[in-house]
Amino acid sequence: MTTVSIPHTDVAGEPFPAARFIKEIGRGKNGARSMTRMDAHALYRAMLDGRVSDLELGGILLSMRIKGESVDEIAGFLDAAEASFAALAAPVGAFAPIIIPSYNGARKMANLTALLALLLARAGAPVLVHGVTSDPGRITTAEVLAALDVSACADHTQAEAAMARGEVAFMPIEALAPRLAWMLSLRRVLGVRNSTHTLVKIMQPFAGPALRLVSYTHPEYLEMLGEYFLTASPPARGDAFLMRGTEGETVANANKAQQIDWFHGIERTLLVEKQLQVDDLPHLPAERDAATTAEWIAAVLRGEVPVPPSIAEQVAQCLMASRQIAARPR
């Protein structure tokens, strides 16, 4: 797929001329041409600023849904997305902050993302979980955390204070990045996800370096995101772990570990290999509802139930990388 740079006039506060972009990206999966990083940044910034008409916005979102994002496009979109909200400050210490996006929830299995976050925070790492608070038909991490008496942070000040106290900070996307929350809400209008659903899973909300836990659901995103983290993500922003999601969540599957790749600088390291079979399945919650899941997680934290080995391994690897990031000279 070729890349095209399109001349355009981008004046702050003025309607954005998006038709010429739609003409290139809207030619279907095989005929469309990708934008440059600069053009993608300009277009997504205008979308977030509300300078693209509803008709053009729908055309852009559906065109990108059909075409798929290139590395340059996802990089340009992310540049604009991260510039649309205030960055968080992490407490100074032996660990760099660990970012856990949670936008899928669970339909079939218990959602154990909260267990991962609480284990990391108990070990001393600053932990930010951000995501949606509810999703029909799914159990969200926000609901499990609420059942564990972990309240959502209403703003950056509350989130920074929670991390400073050694607690998990959960920020609804509406509190962390309101403009991105609006873009996510368009799923209810269009009936399909858009590029923003990928952006919120890979964004880095901190001013300094951090460790991003990133999951993907479709195999083609393994290749695209892998190339992004190797070639287009600024090393100064920290590292990333990339793995196949557990029903879309970034916590390791308690029954069978997924492969985890570590992207650090311009290097890619295989940290955890995919398990083909497990002889002894761990004891897991009997039901997937938030109350039952929270009760089981509390028992794990008290030491009454063992941590599933795959999650214990993920915690250990996260702490290792987080320490390394914090120790690097800036």
Side-chain angles (χ1 to χ4, degrees):
M1 185 178 292
T2 58
T3 300
V4 60
S5 181
I6 305 171
H8 58 86
T9 302
D10 184 6
V11 180
E14 295 293 328
F16 187 84
R20 64 188 72 186
F21 289 87
I22 299 172
K23 181 179 179 181
E24 301 300 332
I25 65 176
R27 297 177 184 269
K29 189 171 182 64
N30 297 321
R33 292 192 290 176
S34 294
M35 295 175 284
T36 65
R37 182 171 185 162
M38 182 181 299
D39 285 341
H41 173 271
L43 178 61
Y44 198 76
R45 182 182 64 181
M47 291 161 60
L48 292 176
D49 289 345
R51 295 191 290 121
V52 176
S53 71
D54 290 347
L55 181 61
E56 290 172 306
L57 180 60
I60 293 164
L61 297 180
L62 290 178
S63 294
M64 294 302 301
R65 171 80 178 183
I66 295 168
K67 182 183 81 66
E69 305 92 348
S70 69
V71 171
D72 280 344
E73 286 170 337
I74 208 70
F77 288 169
L78 188 61
D79 291 340
E82 291 182 345
S84 72
F85 61 91
L88 287 160
V92 177
F95 295 98
I98 299 173
I99 305 159
I100 305 176
S102 183
Y103 290 85
N104 287 71
R107 287 184 300 180
K108 300 177 181 179
M109 301 175 60
N111 181 357
L112 301 183
T113 306
L115 173 62
L116 171 64
L118 291 165
L119 289 171
L120 290 169
R122 187 166 70 175
V127 178
L128 171 71
V129 181
H130 62 86
V132 296
T133 54
S134 63
D135 192 347
R138 294 174 178 265
I139 305 301
T140 65
T141 301
E143 291 166 334
V144 177
L145 286 171
L148 287 162
D149 296 323
V150 178
S151 300
C153 299
D155 53 35
H156 286 52
T157 300
Q158 288 186 9
E160 291 167 355
M163 288 184 286
R165 294 192 300 268
E167 301 171 0
V168 171
F170 171 72
M171 289 193 77
I173 187 60
E174 293 83 0
L176 176 61
R179 297 186 188 185
L180 296 181
W182 173 73
M183 291 291 289
L184 291 177
S185 74
L186 296 180
R187 179 188 181 188
R188 296 193 295 270
V189 179
L190 296 175
V192 294
R193 293 174 180 262
N194 61 69
S195 299
T196 309
H197 289 83
T198 299
L199 299 178
V200 292
K201 290 186 176 184
I202 65 174
M203 69 183 186
Q204 207 281 62
F206 287 90
L211 174 62
R212 284 175 274 186
L213 305 190
V214 179
S215 66
Y216 64 92
T217 52
H218 302 291
E220 59 266 26
Y221 279 95
L222 173 61
E223 180 179 349
M224 189 274 287
L225 292 176
E227 185 179 350
Y228 168 76
F229 286 121
L230 280 177
T231 66
S233 180
R237 301 293 284 150
D239 300 356
F241 284 2
L242 181 61
M243 59 176 273
R244 184 71 179 259
T246 301
E247 295 197 87
E249 289 292 310
T250 55
V251 63
N253 190 316
N255 289 325
K256 189 181 296 184
Q258 306 95 311
Q259 177 176 316
I260 299 179
D261 289 303
W262 175 26
F263 294 85
H264 48 115
I266 58 173
E267 297 183 34
R268 178 177 188 166
T269 302
L270 175 62
L271 285 183
V272 178
E273 294 188 359
K274 178 180 179 180
Q275 281 184 288
L276 299 179
Q277 64 179 34
V278 177
D279 295 329
D280 297 317
L281 293 177
H283 170 71
L284 297 175
E287 302 292 339
R288 67 177 183 88
D289 63 280
T292 302
T293 302
E295 183 179 350
W296 182 88
I297 289 174
V300 173
L301 295 173
R302 292 193 299 267
E304 298 168 3
V305 177
V307 179
S310 58
I311 296 178
E313 174 72 7
Q314 186 181 18
V315 168
Q317 298 292 359
C318 287
L319 295 174
M320 175 277 298
S322 175
R323 279 186 179 276
Q324 287 200 22
I325 297 168
R328 291 172 193 158
R330 301 188 188 180

